Amino acid sequence: MRRLLLTIVILLLVGTGVYLYLNRSDTSAGTSPALAGAPTTAAVLARGEYLTKAADCAACHTVPGSGKAFAGGVPFRLPFGTLYSSNITADETDGIGSWSDDEFVRALHDGIGKHGEHLYPAFPYTSYTQLSRDDVLAIKAYLFSLPKVAQPNRKNELSFPYNQRWTLGFWNAAFFKSQRFQPDASQSPQWNSGKYLATALGHCAECHTPRNFAFALDRKQDLSGAVLQGWRAYNITADPVHGIDAWSDGELASYLSTGHADGHGSASGPMAEAVENSLRFLQPADTGALIAYLRSVPARAGKDPIAVDPKPAPALASSDYAPGGDAHADTQGLKLFEGACASCHQWNGKGQQTPYASLLGSRGVNDVRGTNVTQILLHGSSLHGDGASVFMPSFGDAYSNTELAALSNYVIGHFGNKQGTVTPDDVAERRKQL
């Protein structure tokens, strides 16, 4: 018995030692590469505002339409329950107004809250850990300059054991390393700035990289595309067929800054939010740096790769006002498109009134699973930016799951020249994201 107890004690001591070693934090302050929109010579609040927008804090911490900026409450529906973002205004009771500089830095660098609690990695500290201390504190200074909002945080709704925060220590030990960004001396200053924007501030991987069994990022498939909260974030590696290598720099810059690129479609869902809240505020030089880095990301086809047909025969055979080449199309889907969609998108997919309504070249209509097509039909789509305000109504209440599946498959067939595989059960599952 004594020998068994001694063995258990030794195992606990060794396990604790390994745990503490793997969870050690990089205490260096770090140095961020030069950003055109946030030079180190700028006033701290101006830098903080630019960095906060580049980090897209609003997307996760502001409920759309609430008018309560950064007050939290945005739901994140995950396989093991729902997380709600926290209030990050300077309110002392409900927000982070009582947090010290060190506590705020520790949250972003290590995923540890004010009271030593582990933060769920839905908050992307796994990316923010690379931010320099100066950049983190500039973000804090800007947040503290904004109006305080007295809005209590909503309690998470997680199943056991995911509601046990202490278990995240072991998740961190296995999948997280606290480390600051290290510029690559072999690369250009532009490339280093772009990597800092993509990996630390913009945390592109959090949406565009698939996750493993433990919901940690699968770095072997970095930026090859993933499905998160029912939306598909597309492949943004340098793959010439499935990624962005075939896009010109001008097309990528247009998509990032306006949410639309001719011949490639328009942003919707979380990507539209990223453009609206974050990417459109980047200085052109920083957008160019981001593009330069993304072009260097190794090409990967990813899971369920999408090959875009730039000249779909059914659409090319159609005019603005009449379909053509749909001899084998589902009659129900065609009639639904005629009644609800053709007046804006047109039968040839060029879009009426605004180029944002164009469907040609969009990866959404070339995805046989119809993930984003279905989500847009259910949720609608909107994007507000400089000189553009785009809105598409939702049809989730107007049509049944069977009708929306037929409409999705028709759109995929007509504008992607592919056989869609959307089923009523798929629509029912995606409807839960409402």
Side-chain angles (χ1 to χ4, degrees):
M1 180 62 73
R2 289 181 179 178
R3 184 172 297 176
L4 176 61
L5 290 173
L6 180 61
T7 301
I8 292 173
V9 169
I10 292 173
L11 288 174
L12 285 173
L13 289 173
V14 171
T16 301
V18 171
Y19 168 81
L20 292 174
Y21 174 77
L22 291 173
N23 279 272
R24 69 196 186 283
S25 173
D26 177 357
T27 58
S28 63
T31 302
S32 63
L35 298 179
T40 56
T41 55
V44 66
L45 289 183
R47 288 187 64 246
E49 180 179 9
Y50 188 81
L51 294 169
T52 300
K53 289 177 179 177
D56 202 8
C57 301
C60 291
H61 292 277
T62 302
V63 175
S66 70
K68 297 180 179 179
F70 303 109
V74 177
F76 293 86
R77 296 180 177 88
L78 304 170
F80 39 81
T82 302
L83 290 166
Y84 295 93
S85 64
S86 58
N87 184 333
I88 57 170
T89 72
D91 185 82
E92 290 82 358
T93 301
D94 299 317
I96 59 173
S98 65
W99 288 45
S100 68
D101 286 355
D102 286 343
E103 289 167 342
F104 189 78
V105 170
R106 186 170 65 161
L108 273 70
H109 280 177
D110 303 319
I112 303 296
K114 178 179 176 62
H115 304 292
E117 73 278 15
H118 286 285
L119 303 178
Y120 287 98
F123 170 62
Y125 64 86
T126 49
S127 295
Y128 290 157
T129 185
Q130 298 184 70
L131 294 173
S132 70
R133 180 181 176 89
D134 285 347
D135 283 355
V136 171
L137 292 181
I139 291 172
K140 178 176 181 283
Y142 173 67
L143 291 175
F144 274 51
S145 74
L146 301 176
K148 303 176 182 180
V149 180
Q151 176 173 291
N153 290 309
R154 188 168 176 178
K155 187 177 180 180
N156 295 323
E157 300 165 0
L158 301 174
S159 59
F160 182 85
Y162 305 103
N163 58 357
Q164 303 297 305
R165 286 182 182 267
W166 63 269
T167 62
L168 291 169
F170 296 97
W171 186 93
N172 286 339
F175 303 111
F176 170 66
K177 183 177 181 181
S178 176
Q179 57 184 350
R180 308 297 85 81
F181 179 83
Q182 297 295 327
D184 186 341
S186 68
Q187 296 284 356
S188 68
Q190 182 194 42
W191 184 92
N192 278 294
S193 296
K195 184 176 182 180
Y196 189 71
L197 282 164
T199 61
L201 273 171
H203 54 278
C204 304
E206 302 289 342
C207 289
H208 290 274
T209 297
R211 295 178 182 268
N212 63 20
F213 70 96
F215 214 68
L217 296 175
D218 181 1
R219 292 297 185 180
K220 293 181 180 179
Q221 294 296 322
D222 198 31
L223 302 183
S224 65
V227 175
L228 191 65
Q229 294 201 84
W231 289 87
R232 184 161 182 171
Y234 297 121
N235 186 328
I236 55 173
T237 72
D239 189 285
V241 176
H242 311 295
I244 59 170
D245 192 58
W247 295 46
S248 70
D249 284 0
E251 290 167 341
L252 286 170
S254 176
Y255 194 85
L256 292 171
S257 59
T258 71
H260 174 79
D262 289 339
H264 298 285
S266 303
S268 57
M271 188 62 196
E273 292 178 354
V275 172
E276 181 174 332
N277 295 319
S278 176
L279 294 168
R280 69 186 178 97
F281 294 105
L282 293 179
Q283 291 290 323
D286 290 332
T287 301
L290 178 57
I291 292 169
Y293 170 71
L294 290 177
R295 290 212 181 279
S296 75
V297 175
R300 300 180 179 93
K303 183 181 179 182
D304 300 323
I306 299 172
V308 173
D309 184 346
K311 297 181 179 180
L316 293 183
S318 303
S319 67
D320 291 355
Y321 307 108
D326 282 324
H328 302 291
D330 174 76
T331 303
Q332 183 183 30
L334 186 151
K335 289 183 176 179
L336 288 168
F337 184 86
E338 181 179 29
C341 312
S343 60
C344 288
H345 297 286
Q346 300 182 302
W347 292 99
N348 55 17
K350 293 182 179 180
Q352 187 172 343
Q353 297 180 332
T354 173
Y356 285 83
S358 171
L359 297 176
L360 296 178
S362 164
R363 286 198 271 191
V365 301
N366 281 273
D367 174 13
V368 296
R369 295 174 180 266
T371 304
N372 289 1
V373 167
T374 308
Q375 289 287 15
I376 294 169
L377 290 172
L378 287 167
H379 294 265
S381 182
S382 65
L383 194 158
H384 304 284
D386 298 330
S389 183
V390 185
F391 172 77
M392 174 179 159
S394 65
F395 294 93
D397 294 333
Y399 296 120
S400 69
N401 295 338
T402 299
E403 289 171 323
L404 289 177
L407 178 54
S408 297
N409 288 327
Y410 175 76
V411 167
I412 295 166
H414 189 81
F415 298 105
N417 201 22
K418 298 175 176 66
Q419 180 64 53
T421 62
V422 183
T423 68
D425 287 342
D426 292 334
V427 179
E429 186 64 28
R430 293 163 191 167
R431 192 183 287 274
K432 295 178 183 178
Q433 299 296 323
L434 288 169

